[in-house]
Amino acid sequence: MLAVSTLVFFMIRLVPGDPIAAMLADSGSPEAREALIRRLGLDQPLLVQFWKWFTGVLQGDFGASIYGSNQPVANILMTALPKTLSLAFLSFVIAIVIAVPAGIISATRKNSAADVGVSLFAFLGLSMPDFWLAIILIIIFAANLQWLPAIGYTPLAEGLWPWLSHLILPSIAIGTGFSAIIARMIRSSMLEVLQADYMRTAAAKGLTQHAMLIRHALPNALIPVVTVIGIAFALLISGAVVVENVFSIKGLGRVLIQGIQNRDYPVVQGAVLLVSAFFVLSNLVVDLLYAAIDPRIRYS
Amino acid sequence: MSDLTVNPANATVADAPKRKNRFRAVFARDRKAQFGLIVLGLFTLGAILAPFLSPYDPNEMTLNMMSGPSGENVLGTDDLGRDLFSRILWGTQISLFVGVATVGLALVLGVLLGVLAGYYGGWIDMIIMRYIDLQWAFPNFIIAVYLVAVFGTGLLNVIVAIALAFLDDFARIARSMVLTLKEEQFIDAARVQGYSDLRIMLRHILPNAMAPVIVQATVSVSYAILAEASLSFLGLGVNPVTPTWGLILSDGRSFISRAWWLGVFPGLAIMLVVLSINFIGDALRDALDVRETDV
């Protein structure tokens, strides 16, 4: 994370274009410019700036936005985070709910119509841009059927349904591609597991098909899948960045893109850092989960 | 050499005819791959012939605004009266070009880094892999967004940004292939003959390491096209005048409740191309016998 934050800090100093000029578009007297540069600490050496920023980040202080109302970046990120987390969580749930049964069905009925259907769905899911799916969902469910709101976000505190109704469409948009990857993984690892000797033993013991699948095949088939879920988290985060912008949800993705448009260094730095922290953390959780479901793996 | 022909990933030049047959066999069997080849071929042709096929100037504004698909405008017009079909057709050029150019760049740079790291090991390996690991801490798309923010928008910047974001996959694959191949006897043989490192890397290691790289490249083209579309959609793309698929969607987004075609067709084009590439990639994976876990 140290290297990550260093990279994030120095990269953005290369940004061509002058945020000061942008901020002072109308009232650009040289004195005002000087004062602003001094207030933001941009007159100090780069290393000093970095040190200040870095020690600040360690204490949860990401500096203040240099655009608009100069809010602390930490505040902006903290109001955005729950939205992105809600979205990621729901997308994940939707993906699993679709992928696990789809994967099992296509593995147990290999080459059947259902299998072909699942495989086609997986290909489509992988190939569909998530923001396009988002637009299609808006056209159908918000614009025409008017079942669900097209934009915005309501916190969970204001009730389950208002929260859910705003998040269902974006979550489907993000979760579909994610579920396609997982479904394919489950299918192939399930097929491998079904060939294993212990499955023959289980069948010989006279277990029912159902018990065999749920108790013996699924847990083993899920082991390689869990690792892929870690990688696919990247997809989920990228999806959130784009899809939040379609649904005007002011989550981390929207904050990031607006920050870039406004050349708001501190906000962009903070958002990228938080996104990658989230990514690294989720991969760590996946590793731990891996050890939990596979007793053969031990971290010392 | 006979044991080397078992795994086509290790196939040598002498196996080329065999490999060709295998390609033919896989593609003759695989309906999805055929679909992919045809659709991608059509789009490629459309991109090349866009100046001749396009019924209207893609940027010409008319008073015939937001009219639905009709005989005059096959896919309808947008809010400025521009012909949607012409815009999508021209957009094909950008999408395919960005996809191929990006992956070409990422492949060359990534494979170079991977081969250097794998072949020399030691501190070179350490430095390169530290960097690659660092890239791992970010989702690829976030890297691309961040780099475009740093470099600014524009065709070249978008290509470089996406290429740099995808480079780590190629480096990692190339490195692991080199590490396996390095132990092979034919490399020792080449070394004993006194060939230079460069020659061994280019002539002996690289050709044998290409199978998984090619499969990864195909997959990456589809990712790159999606990434470019997403960047354009977010306003971080090529530039606001050039019609790209992501931009057309982003422009049309505000009007989708009245003009569904603006939301549907550009995305359909993206999906068809990406789907075709994925189909072809899958068939290549079969033909080259690369396991999914390798890539």
Side-chain angles (χ1 to χ4, degrees):
Chain A
M1 277 322 280
L2 175 73
V4 166
S5 52
T6 313
L7 197 70
V8 167
F9 180 86
F10 284 104
M11 282 297 281
I12 203 158
R13 302 290 131 159
L14 301 170
V15 173
D18 184 352
I20 307 294
M23 286 168 72
L24 295 172
D26 2 282
S27 60
S29 73
E31 295 81 39
R33 191 186 155 84
E34 281 298 305
L36 191 62
I37 288 179
R38 204 163 315 123
R39 184 163 64 79
L40 298 173
L42 292 177
D43 53 346
Q44 286 164 350
L46 216 52
L47 280 176
V48 176
Q49 287 183 41
F50 175 66
W51 180 248
K52 273 192 169 166
W53 180 72
F54 186 69
T55 46
V57 166
L58 288 180
Q59 298 161 29
D61 175 11
F62 290 84
S65 162
I66 54 178
Y67 188 82
S69 56
N70 302 328
Q71 270 187 308
V73 174
N75 287 4
I76 300 180
L77 295 179
M78 279 310 130
T79 37
L81 190 62
K83 301 173 188 172
T84 302
L85 287 181
S86 308
L87 191 57
F89 171 73
L90 212 60
S91 309
F92 188 71
V93 170
I94 287 177
I96 296 293
V97 166
I98 301 174
V100 172
I104 295 178
I105 288 171
S106 65
T108 47
R109 306 196 190 134
K110 201 183 167 199
N111 296 330
S112 68
D115 182 23
V116 174
V118 168
S119 143
L120 207 63
F121 161 79
F123 269 113
L124 286 175
L126 280 177
S127 310
M128 237 187 288
D130 34 26
F131 57 92
W132 183 56
L133 183 57
I135 289 177
I136 300 287
L137 291 171
I138 293 181
I139 293 179
I140 299 175
F141 294 102
N144 284 315
L145 296 174
Q146 309 209 323
W147 286 354
L148 294 162
I151 54 167
Y153 173 83
T154 314
L156 185 54
E158 288 174 29
L160 185 63
W161 175 244
W163 175 75
L164 208 57
S165 68
H166 281 95
L167 286 177
I168 288 179
L169 295 183
S171 302
I172 294 175
I174 300 170
T176 304
F178 197 43
S179 74
I181 295 180
I182 301 174
R184 275 179 72 150
M185 256 335 267
I186 291 183
R187 177 181 185 271
S188 68
S189 84
M190 204 56 172
L191 283 175
E192 222 161 279
V193 168
L194 289 176
Q195 310 261 320
D197 288 343
Y198 58 78
M199 288 307 291
R200 217 175 32 223
T201 313
K205 280 198 300 188
L207 289 183
T208 60
Q209 182 84 18
H210 188 76
M212 271 171 64
L213 279 179
I214 302 300
R215 294 279 305 280
H216 294 260
L218 193 60
N220 287 301
L222 278 180
I223 293 170
V225 173
V226 169
T227 48
V228 184
I229 289 179
I231 298 165
F233 260 122
L235 205 82
L236 205 123
I237 296 170
S238 319
V241 169
V242 186
V243 170
E244 278 175 10
N245 281 281
V246 180
F247 287 91
S248 303
I249 297 171
K250 261 197 113 261
L252 285 180
R254 183 115 188 87
V255 166
L256 173 66
I257 301 300
Q258 280 183 339
I260 291 173
Q261 281 158 356
N262 300 334
R263 298 205 179 290
D264 195 343
Y265 291 169
V267 168
V268 176
Q269 280 167 2
V272 170
L273 205 60
L274 202 58
V275 166
S276 80
F278 177 60
F279 181 57
V280 171
L281 200 70
S282 58
N283 272 305
L284 185 71
V285 171
V286 166
D287 279 351
L288 296 175
L289 208 64
Y290 199 40
I293 63 167
D294 188 348
R296 285 169 300 182
I297 297 169
R298 282 280 166 268
Y299 296 109
S300 51
Chain B
M1 294 288 263
S2 62
D3 62 320
L4 290 176
T5 57
V6 178
N7 176 1
N10 287 340
T12 54
V13 184
D15 300 321
K18 220 190 270 174
R19 195 187 267 190
K20 216 178 200 174
N21 286 340
R22 184 152 184 181
F23 271 114
R24 213 169 284 156
V26 167
F27 277 90
R29 212 166 358 107
D30 193 335
R31 288 265 182 74
K32 289 192 294 239
Q34 291 162 9
F35 170 88
L37 284 177
I38 293 172
V39 172
L40 193 64
L42 285 177
F43 270 96
T44 313
L45 215 62
I48 296 169
L49 298 177
F52 308 105
L53 291 179
S54 169
Y56 300 92
D57 177 338
N59 288 320
E60 187 194 80
M61 298 178 214
T62 64
L63 289 175
N64 180 20
M65 287 168 285
M66 298 223 274
S67 68
S70 65
E72 213 170 308
N73 304 93
V74 194
L75 302 182
T77 60
D78 69 3
D79 56 309
L80 299 173
R82 296 173 295 194
D83 179 51
L84 188 59
F85 176 72
S86 306
R87 289 178 71 71
I88 292 178
L89 193 63
W90 281 92
T92 313
Q93 284 190 338
I94 304 282
S95 284
L96 292 184
F97 178 69
V98 169
V100 174
T102 302
V103 172
L105 190 61
L107 189 150
V108 171
L109 292 177
V111 169
L112 183 75
L113 287 180
V115 170
L116 286 178
Y119 189 81
Y120 287 111
W123 63 271
I124 296 181
D125 187 30
M126 205 189 79
I127 291 177
I128 293 177
M129 288 322 284
R130 272 297 116 78
Y131 171 72
I132 300 295
D133 285 344
L134 191 59
Q135 268 211 346
W136 250 99
F138 301 91
N140 279 350
F141 182 67
I142 302 296
I143 301 180
V145 166
Y146 196 60
L147 288 176
V148 171
V150 172
F151 298 151
T153 53
L155 182 63
L156 187 68
N157 291 346
V158 167
I159 291 176
V160 173
I162 303 177
L164 289 177
F166 285 12
L167 161 150
D168 58 331
D169 297 328
F170 290 101
R172 197 168 294 109
I173 292 169
R175 178 174 176 271
S176 74
M177 286 303 289
V178 172
L179 287 180
T180 336
L181 288 168
K182 219 165 66 166
E183 308 302 323
E184 298 282 347
Q185 287 186 347
F186 67 90
I187 300 297
D188 287 340
R191 218 172 265 149
V192 171
Q193 290 187 46
Y195 290 154
S196 67
D197 283 353
L198 188 68
R199 184 180 165 131
I200 294 176
M201 278 188 259
L202 287 181
R203 297 284 298 276
H204 299 263
I205 291 185
L206 214 50
N208 289 308
M210 278 324 266
V213 173
I214 290 171
V215 173
Q216 174 66 33
T218 324
V219 180
S220 294
V221 171
S222 68
Y223 287 154
I225 290 176
L226 283 178
E228 186 274 325
S230 302
L231 286 175
S232 293
F233 184 76
L234 293 173
L236 301 172
V238 173
N239 73 49
V241 192
T242 324
T244 66
W245 292 341
L247 188 72
I248 301 171
L249 266 177
S250 155
D251 284 347
R253 166 165 62 145
S254 332
F255 309 104
I256 47 172
S257 53
R258 281 177 294 155
W260 56 267
W261 52 94
L262 292 177
V264 173
F265 293 126
L268 203 60
I270 302 176
M271 194 189 76
L272 279 174
V273 167
V274 173
L275 186 67
S276 304
I277 297 173
N278 282 336
F279 280 160
I280 296 170
D282 230 42
L284 276 179
R285 201 190 302 264
D286 285 348
L288 293 170
D289 196 22
V290 178
R291 276 178 54 107
E292 196 141 350
T293 45
D294 291 345
V295 172

